[in-house]
Amino acid sequence: MRFSNDANYLVSAGSHEESCIVVWSWEEGTVLQTCAIQVPVNDITVLKSADQDFTFATCGNNSFKLWKVDSEGELLFFDVTLPEELTLTAIEQTE
């Protein structure tokens, strides 16, 4: 769970059983957007954005996605594919 930099939004990831990303309006206490996901999320990072959109990244089990709530309130995501050797290098360094 993470707050946006301006504290207007809260983003949460459901458990593996729920498998969804939820973006909340913190002040109103309402759900703005939800999106079903197929891979459990291990971490959420809020990113700084040059525009007024709320952007964040999620990662989990060989999955990396960039998310954006645009000015129209739409939740968009972009899959990022990392080269396999990059993933293996990161794992080897942590052992």
Side-chain angles (χ1 to χ4, degrees):
M1 203 177 337
R2 296 281 188 265
F3 282 97
S4 62
N5 293 324
D6 61 7
N8 288 331
Y9 301 105
L10 175 69
V11 61
S12 62
S15 66
H16 182 63
E17 293 81 27
E18 294 171 352
S19 299
C20 65
I21 293 289
V22 181
V23 178
W24 305 79
S25 168
W26 178 247
E27 290 181 5
E28 296 175 17
T30 58
V31 172
L32 297 176
Q33 291 287 339
T34 62
C35 183
I37 54 176
Q38 297 186 5
V39 177
V41 171
N42 296 333
D43 197 14
I44 302 170
T45 300
V46 173
L47 307 170
K48 292 184 179 179
S49 178
D51 51 26
Q52 296 299 315
D53 298 338
F54 173 41
T55 56
F56 57 97
T58 59
C59 65
N61 299 351
N62 295 324
S63 169
F64 183 76
K65 293 185 187 309
L66 296 174
W67 301 80
K68 174 180 181 175
V69 178
D70 68 14
S71 58
E72 302 293 321
E74 294 295 318
L75 179 60
L76 310 170
F77 72 89
F78 310 91
D79 284 310
V80 178
T81 304
L82 299 175
E84 186 175 329
E85 61 273 7
L86 180 62
T87 304
L88 293 175
T89 302
I91 292 170
E92 290 169 358
Q93 289 177 356
T94 59
E95 292 179 352

